[in-house]
Amino acid sequence: MKRAILTRLVVVLLVAILLVFTTILYVYRSYAIRDAKERALSIAELVRDTLTSYMVMGVIDKRDEFLSRIGEIRGVEDIRVIRGEPVIRQFGEGLKYELAKDEIERRVLKEGKTIDVLEEGLSQVYYRIVIPYRAEPIKGVNCLQCHVARPGETLGAISLVVNLSHVRSEIAKASFLAMSLFVFALFMVILYVYNFLGRLQKFFKELILVMNSAKEGIFENHLQSNPGFEAQELKTVVEQSFSSLSKTFENIEEKVRAMMGYGVLKTGNALSDTSKIVDELLKIYRFKRVIEKDKNKRDIYARLINMLEDYMSIDSFSLYEVNHTKNQIEIIHVKGKENWCKEIICQSADECRAKRTGMDVDSREFPCICPNFIDNEACLSGRLHYYCIPLYVGGAVGNVLQIVYEPEIEPFINLIIPYIKAYLNESAPVLEARTYMDILREQSLKDQLTGLYNRRFLEDVIDKLTAQVRRRGTILGVLMVDIDYFKQVNDAYGHDVGDRVLVETAKVILRTIRESDIVVRYGGEEFLVLLVDAQPGKSEEVGEKIRSAVEKHTIELPGVVLKKTVSIGVSEYPIDSDKIWQCIKYADVALYKAKEAGRNRVVRFKAEFWQREEY
């Protein structure tokens, strides 16, 4: 750029020099010609007037001396007095040099008009002028008194040749001096422009780099070069603008950190980072608005899983929920493998490092930082990394998200973790609200003393449960369990001991049946046991196990040890009836048969126990 500008500038200046030089020469030449012409006219008039005076005074013989002295004037190369026709007729031709010698002089004598000619050669310059004398009064002297001629007739002419070579030499010297000064000034201008363009070119190259960096979102580069006072204001404006933009983006980052609770990973491109942050915050806001309208935690978990799989494109992860009541961890979702953690964390929540410490667990910090990761060998060899994020719900760790990834995608994981945390943090208050709702619902569906489900729960789920049994083609075992002689315990030891007996009996029943089976506190000392997907005829066997377990169980109290028995009535749905409530009634009828038969026994319902036609 500098070379192109400098070349154009030199061309323009050279053209300007040529124009100036030509103008100077033209002006000097015009001035010299005008001056020479004026001098020639003055000399011609002087000669004419002097010769006229000589004739009047009768001393015309001094003419040659006078003309010789005129010829000594600097620049006068030749001066002659030429006789015209009237003078030749009156006085003769005179000397040879007094006759017209060329066409110019003859034309002047004939036409009576002045003719001047500039003759320029390589070494000499001459200015020639031929001025006519006409027969007419001049300054009070009447030529017709001495000459026989008609008024206005040309009497003769003066031919004067002036040598202007010295003038041209002076013009050349003056032009050379002017040109030298101009060239010197031009050189100084070019030198200044060269230095200025050098600084400016360096400044603009640096400015282009800075602007390209700004286009990539980097505003930390500064202009180091000094462009001079001519562009200092531009440099100041650019630096102030970039500084303002940098502070603005830093301010946005600080506000995002305050909003999200932690900073986001920078890529170095402030524009891209800010745009992505704003987009993600908008998506997170929309995500929260959606989950706030979800009915239960299951729907919220489904949206989190969808976000991780489809939006974040995470191929391997686990989502867990902490059950603080049982101090256990429940698996919500696992992707990429059957399990990413050992089974022990499900049995004891404190075995999960993220849950126990309440802090992020990053396998890159220390090899095998969590001993319960399923494949610590792969972690040690560097083939796998994992990152566990605890999510606080209601002041305690309520969920744990575990991300498993290969080293190749580590930069991507580093980039998305802050946004995943933002999604989790926005989910936390909604999960907390749904957890409280579940707790309240569970409390309303459970017996506060034994922790078993109550009759309200039974009424809510019984229709769904029987529909599932019919769809699978299995049976539902119905056991009605009653503690024998329970009233005597209350009467003899008080209600506190009676409550203890109820609690211990409930625990024995729960230990005896499967986790899929359901136990309901049906009445004061009555328990309803529903055996889901039981085999035909097996319900009575389960009832016997319960009876035997209760009989063997001892209840240690201060100062006394109690042993209790239970009576159990058994029916099976839909074998005994296609109406579940009728089957429950049948089990109750069988229970009373067991009581009548002496208690501490299991009685299977029989058709003859029921004498009515309908329930």
Side-chain angles (χ1 to χ4, degrees):
M1 181 183 72
K2 182 173 72 173
R3 181 179 298 176
I5 294 176
L6 198 60
T7 301
R8 293 173 187 172
L9 180 63
V10 169
V11 171
V12 170
L13 291 176
L14 287 176
V15 172
I17 290 174
L18 184 61
L19 290 175
V20 170
F21 184 68
T22 304
T23 302
I24 291 174
L25 289 178
Y26 176 77
V27 170
Y28 272 116
R29 181 177 180 278
S30 299
Y31 173 78
I33 292 173
R34 186 173 65 252
D35 182 66
K37 189 173 184 179
E38 289 176 355
R39 288 174 59 202
L41 286 173
S42 298
I43 292 172
E45 289 180 357
L46 176 63
V47 171
R48 183 193 61 187
D49 294 343
T50 301
L51 292 180
T52 301
S53 299
Y54 280 181
M55 290 183 66
V56 172
M57 291 185 296
V59 289
I60 194 64
D61 56 329
K62 294 183 178 181
R63 183 189 65 176
D64 292 338
E65 181 183 355
F66 171 71
L67 293 176
S68 176
R69 293 179 63 182
I70 291 296
E72 294 176 358
I73 297 175
R74 184 184 179 188
V76 177
E77 188 72 19
D78 181 46
I79 183 168
R80 293 185 305 113
V81 178
I82 305 169
R83 294 189 178 194
E85 285 297 326
V87 175
I88 292 174
R89 286 195 305 268
Q90 183 177 358
F91 298 104
E93 292 183 352
L95 299 176
K96 185 178 181 179
Y97 60 82
E98 292 180 307
L99 298 177
K101 65 178 183 179
D102 56 22
E103 184 62 28
I104 293 176
E105 293 176 351
R106 285 191 285 271
R107 281 180 56 194
V108 172
L109 293 175
K110 181 179 179 180
E111 298 174 0
K113 296 180 180 180
T114 300
I115 297 177
D116 60 337
V117 178
L118 182 66
E119 299 175 354
E120 293 184 89
L122 293 177
S123 59
Q124 299 292 327
V125 179
Y126 296 100
Y127 178 71
R128 181 184 179 190
I129 185 169
V130 181
I131 304 173
Y133 290 130
R134 288 189 291 272
E136 55 188 13
I138 300 175
K139 297 181 180 180
V141 179
N142 190 356
C143 297
L144 297 177
Q145 293 179 355
C146 299
H147 295 283
V148 179
R150 294 186 299 275
E153 191 175 8
T154 302
L155 299 175
I158 295 177
S159 176
L160 180 64
V161 178
V162 180
N163 191 338
L164 298 181
S165 299
H166 67 284
V167 175
R168 186 168 71 174
S169 177
E170 291 175 358
I171 292 174
K173 291 179 181 179
S175 299
F176 177 77
L177 179 61
M179 184 62 66
S180 299
L181 292 174
F182 194 83
V183 169
F184 177 75
L186 175 63
F187 174 76
M188 296 303 294
V189 169
I190 292 175
L191 183 62
Y192 169 78
V193 171
Y194 180 82
N195 292 331
F196 170 71
L197 289 178
R199 295 196 310 271
L200 207 59
Q201 183 182 29
K202 183 179 179 181
F203 171 73
F204 277 112
K205 283 183 178 179
E206 191 174 355
L207 181 61
I208 290 172
L209 292 176
V210 171
M211 295 299 290
N212 286 333
S213 298
K215 187 169 64 175
E216 298 298 326
I218 301 172
F219 298 94
E220 298 176 355
N221 294 334
H222 298 287
L223 296 169
Q224 302 295 335
S225 61
N226 180 17
F229 69 91
E230 300 87 350
Q232 186 63 41
E233 185 176 355
L234 174 61
K235 177 182 178 181
T236 302
V237 170
V238 171
E239 289 181 339
Q240 289 177 349
S241 299
F242 283 2
S243 176
S244 177
L245 284 171
S246 180
K247 290 179 180 178
T248 299
F249 287 122
E250 288 177 1
N251 190 27
I252 292 174
E253 182 186 353
E254 290 296 328
K255 291 181 178 179
V256 169
R257 182 183 290 111
M259 182 184 303
M260 299 175 66
Y262 38 78
V264 295
L265 184 66
K266 295 182 180 180
T267 63
N269 188 330
L271 290 175
S272 175
D273 290 345
T274 303
S275 177
K276 183 172 179 59
I277 288 171
V278 173
D279 289 343
E280 288 299 330
L281 288 177
L282 181 59
K283 290 175 182 176
I284 292 169
Y285 170 75
R286 290 173 178 169
F287 177 81
K288 183 179 181 182
R289 292 290 300 273
V290 170
I291 64 175
E292 284 176 341
K293 296 179 174 60
D294 287 336
K295 293 191 301 181
N296 49 56
K297 290 193 291 184
R298 183 178 62 254
D299 294 340
I300 298 172
Y301 289 145
R303 296 192 191 280
L304 282 172
I305 293 166
N306 181 68
M307 177 271 296
L308 293 168
E309 290 181 343
D310 297 340
Y311 181 58
M312 296 295 180
S313 301
I314 299 179
D315 296 326
S316 302
F317 67 93
S318 301
L319 181 62
Y320 304 100
E321 182 180 68
V322 179
N323 187 326
H324 292 282
T325 303
K326 299 179 180 179
N327 194 33
Q328 295 177 346
I329 285 182
E330 300 174 7
I331 299 175
I332 303 299
H333 185 79
V334 178
K335 184 179 181 182
K337 201 168 186 176
E338 184 178 354
N339 280 306
W340 285 112
C341 284
K342 296 177 182 178
E343 185 67 24
I344 191 172
I345 70 164
C346 296
Q347 300 169 4
S348 175
D350 289 334
E351 293 295 331
C352 174
R353 186 180 183 87
K355 185 271 174 186
R356 185 177 68 255
T357 63
M359 300 174 63
D360 292 0
V361 177
D362 188 350
S363 65
R364 295 169 299 179
E365 294 180 356
F366 191 84
C368 300
I369 189 170
C370 181
N372 293 320
F373 182 64
I374 198 69
D375 194 355
N376 272 320
E377 182 179 347
C379 186
L380 277 172
S381 64
R383 290 184 286 112
L384 284 179
H385 296 310
Y386 56 87
Y387 194 98
C388 300
I389 306 170
L391 177 61
Y392 278 82
V393 178
V397 177
N399 298 89
V400 175
L401 174 64
Q402 178 188 41
I403 301 172
V404 183
Y405 60 94
E406 297 174 348
E408 291 77 11
I409 63 170
E410 181 177 341
F412 171 72
I413 296 298
N414 290 335
L415 183 65
I416 65 173
I417 279 179
Y419 300 105
I420 293 175
K421 287 184 176 181
Y423 277 94
L424 293 176
N425 285 345
E426 293 301 323
S427 302
V430 184
L431 286 171
E432 181 178 357
R434 299 299 180 271
T435 299
Y436 287 146
M437 290 177 62
D438 291 345
I439 291 173
L440 291 174
R441 176 176 172 78
E442 187 174 355
Q443 288 176 348
S444 68
L445 299 177
K446 283 194 172 183
D447 175 58
Q448 298 300 308
L449 177 63
T450 62
L452 301 177
Y453 291 114
N454 56 26
R455 291 191 63 167
R456 181 179 176 182
F457 170 80
L458 179 65
E459 292 169 356
D460 285 349
V461 303
I462 195 65
D463 291 338
K464 296 178 183 177
L465 186 60
T466 54
Q468 292 173 0
V469 168
R470 288 196 304 270
R471 185 167 57 252
R472 291 193 292 265
T474 59
I475 69 169
L476 181 67
V478 181
L479 280 63
M480 189 67 75
V481 182
D482 184 82
I483 301 175
D484 296 331
Y485 303 111
F486 179 74
K487 185 175 182 303
Q488 294 178 4
V489 175
N490 284 335
D491 293 341
Y493 301 103
H495 289 282
D496 290 342
V497 174
D499 290 345
R500 176 70 181 277
V501 170
L502 289 172
V503 171
E504 292 293 328
T505 303
K507 290 180 179 179
V508 172
I509 295 173
L510 287 172
R511 286 198 300 267
T512 307
I513 62 175
R514 301 167 301 175
E515 287 190 8
S516 59
D517 297 331
I518 299 172
V519 183
V520 176
R521 186 180 178 190
Y522 198 71
E525 65 271 19
E526 283 187 331
F527 302 93
L528 176 65
V529 180
L530 300 176
L531 306 177
V532 181
D533 296 335
Q535 297 295 321
K538 295 294 184 180
S539 301
E540 191 173 356
E541 294 180 8
V542 175
E544 181 58 32
K545 288 181 181 179
I546 294 173
R547 186 205 65 77
S548 176
V550 173
E551 183 180 29
K552 294 176 182 178
H553 183 68
T554 58
I555 304 172
E556 296 182 0
L557 298 169
V560 64
V561 176
L562 295 179
K563 295 185 69 175
K564 297 300 294 179
T565 61
V566 293
S567 299
I568 302 175
V570 180
S571 69
E572 291 180 337
Y573 170 87
I575 295 176
D576 295 320
S577 174
D578 59 356
K579 297 181 178 64
I580 183 59
W581 289 106
Q582 189 165 1
C583 284
I584 293 174
K585 183 61 178 177
Y586 287 167
D588 192 49
V589 170
L591 169 63
Y592 280 99
K593 292 295 182 180
K595 295 278 190 183
E596 292 174 358
R599 294 181 171 82
N600 191 24
R601 65 192 64 235
V602 179
V603 175
R604 173 72 169 84
F605 174 77
K606 297 178 182 179
E608 57 265 26
F609 293 170
W610 188 256
Q611 301 299 323
R612 304 176 188 176
E613 294 183 1
E614 294 183 359
Y615 166 65

